[in-house]
């Protein structure tokens, strides 16, 4: 890794944030401001539309520069938080100019030459990166995989059947704006009792195929083979790759709900060995990056409203299946913009920086 | 069955609606106004608080009378839509005075001498009612069981793993009022990004253990053994009883969502035999009380906002498990106040009336 670039002196490696103005980019800047400051220059990059805008990171104003080859001069690690097609085109450019790329889009996740990394689960995978690109999992998988990785290490995972309750910020700023606009139109009305009354009142559906206010929408991403959505297949493929279990049985049904930020999932997890709730509690309590919140008699279980803005994966409602001593039911919440996106990329970048510092 | 009571002349049997002023009772009155009019008098009963109020049914104003022994004089069929403890006390009184009771509470559902009936699934069970009481299933089970009964008849059901997305009207009028009040407080704010910000803003939680606006709550009903909720155990016990499969494997995780009316469920259903999506489509298309809505390429899948106010069980997102040729994934919606409560009781009452007319 080269010494830090222009603005960094000898303080540390140069970090670029590509997509600094987006939903994930915004959260990333606040995470970079909170975490141990190991970086020299932090360069902010977005589309030409945003060039010249000033954003705050580590308490300093930094001017956004337009994406282009020169933007990567002297960059050691580049975090990409941009649409798939922008990553597909520009991540190899950044890598060719000497940066290690951590990409948060879907463009490289299933590339066999690109590791898919969750620092609590498979940190060593970062070292094997022939393309100088490391991929960050999608937010739905990330919202449960730290907890499932910890349980897998102990009991051996055989099957996951999950249903998601996905927040609108998973669709970027457009999703949040759409929910807030629709709620504004529905507040104070008596709608939600006649077929189609909500659909007529909200008008614009934004990025969703149905109203999202006062509704749930069983469709996220795009349609793929045999009726599965891209989001459902990502949960399957990415869980297998992260856990290193290419034959793992994984079934997901992904549903969007009117929550701003924090994805939730119900998980039916079948293990190779018998499990008890007490054992699962012990493992989850000790697992880095996991908070066990499971005392329903005292009202303790995670909900998005309580979890949003926090870093860990929260786990509650742990029960052993009444039909199968090898299976657990769980309810899991994780902030899709933090651990589900920005935080995990920051953690990967820190792993890369530590590796070259060592 | 005796001839109709006071107000009915010889038009037909006398029906009593106990709990006519409640969330379910209100929907029941509109359903009775829409369906074939087979009843003589329809008598409306509620607590003494409501006595003297006038409600409209079949286009006529009817005065509400207070619950008491005399209220059941001459009643042939009594529909109970009141809290558990009121049913537990008063259903036997109505039965002793000669009425056939159709009870919508949880008081009698698992009583071996009380049939638990869904007319599309087990209509013949109505005849075996030693206590003159017939129970109506809970709304979460009812929102999926018509579809699952049809698939079971063809493929033989072995296991159900379900996650619910339950509407607030499942908690009665108090649930709806709470959601609307909380949404009023959150509309126009930027809340939902910091831990606890929604909890602080909404204040009163109403019947829920956490905010329900801009949130999902993985807890419905009361806490029972081993971390399961009453709602989750009902789905298990009632599905087994209705389908006549006392050994059926059933696992549920019940989650409340900010939807006014219509429960949704994701269902993982394992059958004894191999299934294909095409076969499942054919069966669901032909099943009475079911609407297949499954063409995601054209944007066709059910959502609560589109299903609310309708009678059938809507089924979409049918996929065959990639790991198990005997398993299907489905997304199911049903109006919890109509088929989930009032409609099913009206259908049972019609079965009882038809039986004595025959
Ligand atoms: N939201 C989540 O929960 C989540 C979770 C995991 C992964 N992701 C992934 O992270 C990426 C960003 O998502 P987001 O939700 O933050 O999206 P977003 O809010 O729409 O932001 C998109 C960002 O990309 C930039 N951009 C767009 N087109 C560009 C171009 N041609 N050249 C340079 N920059 C361009 C935008 O800059 P301008 O402001 O200048 O247009 C903006 O900074 C996506 O791949 C998404 O799938 C999102
Ligand atoms: N909501 C659903 O989706 C749903 C679905 C399936 C089953 N259920 C069950 O159906 C029943 C009614 O639910 P709901 O949601 O309609 O409740 P609700 O809106 O609270 O209505 C309760 C009804 O019961 C009456 N009532 C209460 N205490 C009484 C008493 N001591 N004597 C006589 N009447 C009394 C009330 O009369 P006043 O107005 O005079 O107080 C009102 O008509 C419950 O057992 C519930 O579990 C509900």
């Amino acid at each position: 890794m080269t010494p830090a670039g222009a603005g960094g002196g000898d303080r540390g490696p140069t970090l670029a944030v590509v997509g600094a103005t987006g939903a994930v980019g915004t959260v990333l800047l606040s995470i970079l401001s909170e975490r141990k400051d190991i970086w020299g220059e932090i360069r902010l990059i977005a589309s030409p539309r945003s060039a010249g805008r000033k954003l705050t990171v580590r308490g300093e104003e930094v001017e956004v520069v337009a994406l282009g080859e020169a933007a990567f001069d002297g960059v050691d690690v580049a975090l990409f938080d941009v649409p798939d097609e922008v990553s597909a085109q520009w991540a190899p450019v950044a890598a060719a100019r000497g940066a290690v790329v951590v990409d948060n889009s879907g463009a490289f996740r299933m590339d066999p030459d690109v590791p898919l990394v969750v620092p609590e689960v498979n940190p060593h995978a970062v070292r094997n990166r022939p393309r100088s690109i490391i991929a960050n999992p999608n937010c739905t998988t990330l919202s449960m995989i730290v907890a499932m990785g910890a349980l897998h290490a102990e009991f051996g995972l055989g099957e996951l059947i999950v249903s998601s309750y996905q927040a609108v910020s998973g669709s970027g700023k457009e999703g949040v704006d759409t929910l807030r606009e629709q709620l504004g139109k529905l507040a104070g009305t008596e709608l939600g009792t006649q077929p189609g009354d909500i659909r007529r009142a909200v008008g614009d559906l934004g990025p969703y195929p149905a109203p999202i206010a006062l509704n749930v929408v069983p469709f996220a991403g795009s349609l793929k083979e045999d009726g599965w959505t891209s989001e459902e297949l990502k949960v399957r493929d990415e869980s297998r790759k992260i856990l290193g279990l290419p034959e793992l049985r994984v079934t997901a049904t992904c549903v969007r709900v009117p929550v701003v930020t924090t994805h939730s999932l119900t998980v039916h997890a079948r293990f190779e060995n018998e499990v008890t709730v007490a054992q699962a509690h012990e493992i989850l309590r000790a697992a880095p990056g996991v908070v066990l919140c499971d005392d329903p008699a005292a009202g303790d279980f995670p909900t998005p409203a309580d979890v949003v803005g926090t870093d860990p994966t929260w786990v509650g409602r742990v029960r052993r299946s009444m039909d199968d001593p090898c299976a657990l039911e769980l309810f899991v919440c994780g902030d899709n913009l933090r651990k589900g996106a920005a935080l995990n990329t920051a953690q990967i970048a820190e792993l890369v920086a530590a590796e070259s510092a060592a």
Side-chain angles (χ1 to χ4, degrees), chain A:
Chain A
M1 192 160 288
T2 60
D10 56 358
R11 286 191 298 155
T14 295
L15 182 75
V17 177
V18 189
T21 53
V24 176
T26 302
V27 173
L28 181 57
L29 297 193
S30 82
I31 285 176
L32 289 171
S33 307
E34 295 159 15
R35 290 180 78 82
K36 183 150 176 282
D37 185 13
I38 61 164
W39 304 106
E41 183 193 1
I42 295 184
R43 197 173 301 170
L44 307 186
I45 303 174
S47 81
R49 292 180 291 277
S50 302
R53 263 186 72 185
K54 292 207 168 116
L55 300 175
T56 303
V57 61
R58 298 185 297 190
E60 289 164 28
E61 286 214 320
V62 178
E63 192 170 308
V64 175
V65 299
L67 180 58
E69 294 209 14
F72 296 105
D73 283 347
V75 169
D76 298 296
V77 180
L79 306 184
F80 273 67
D81 293 301
V82 291
D84 290 4
E85 62 282 7
V86 181
S87 282
Q89 184 184 345
W90 288 95
V93 173
R97 290 183 92 91
V100 176
V101 171
V102 182
D103 182 47
N104 198 13
S105 82
F108 300 100
R109 290 183 191 135
M110 296 314 295
D111 183 328
D113 290 330
V114 173
L116 185 65
V117 177
V118 181
E120 294 86 347
V121 182
N122 62 342
H124 300 301
V126 291
R127 293 174 180 267
N128 184 11
R129 47 171 194 262
R131 300 188 61 181
S132 279
I133 300 173
I134 300 164
N136 197 63
N138 85 90
C139 47
T140 313
T141 306
L142 263 177
S143 298
M144 63 150 181
I145 203 74
V146 178
M148 300 325 299
L151 294 170
H152 166 60
E154 186 73 19
F155 301 120
L157 199 56
E159 180 164 24
L160 290 172
I161 299 173
V162 307
S163 296
S164 74
Y165 301 68
Q166 293 184 225
V168 293
S169 64
S171 326
K173 290 189 291 189
E174 199 192 349
V176 178
D177 292 343
T178 299
L179 174 58
R180 293 206 196 277
E181 274 161 32
Q182 292 186 356
L183 283 179
K185 289 183 183 160
L186 298 180
T189 71
E190 300 275 290
L191 297 170
T193 60
Q194 294 304 319
D197 64 358
I198 291 178
R199 205 177 262 269
R200 280 186 295 275
V202 299
D204 184 15
L205 298 178
Y208 303 116
I212 186 62
L214 293 180
N215 204 19
V216 302
V217 181
F219 192 91
S222 57
L223 188 65
K224 301 289 176 183
E225 62 274 18
D226 298 328
W228 299 93
T229 63
S230 55
E231 196 78 5
E232 290 157 355
L233 296 180
K234 283 178 190 174
V235 172
R236 177 178 174 90
D237 295 337
E238 297 183 20
S239 296
R240 289 173 156 194
K241 183 167 176 176
I242 297 161
L243 296 170
L245 296 172
E247 305 293 319
L248 185 69
R249 295 159 70 110
V250 185
T251 301
T253 299
C254 291
V255 180
R256 191 78 61 183
V257 297
V259 164
V260 175
T261 297
T262 294
H263 289 350
S264 307
L265 296 102
T266 60
V267 181
H268 171 90
R270 199 170 41 69
F271 299 93
E272 279 150 25
N273 301 296
E274 287 203 11
V275 287
T276 67
V277 170
Q279 288 169 324
H281 275 179
E282 197 180 323
I283 289 158
L284 293 168
R285 223 179 264 122
V290 174
V291 173
L292 179 70
C293 175
D294 191 16
D295 184 0
D300 286 343
F301 40 75
T303 81
D306 297 315
V307 161
V308 62
T310 71
D311 286 347
T313 300
W314 294 66
V315 184
R317 298 298 324 281
V318 183
R319 292 146 291 154
R320 186 161 87 159
S321 165
M322 283 181 278
D323 300 309
D324 181 352
C326 297
L328 292 175
E329 314 302 320
L330 312 98
F331 185 80
V332 181
C333 290
D335 185 317
N336 53 298
L337 296 178
R338 295 181 73 91
K339 185 60 184 175
L343 173 63
N344 201 66
T345 58
Q347 290 174 304
I348 294 172
E350 290 165 8
L351 281 182
V352 172
E355 163 195 297
S356 43

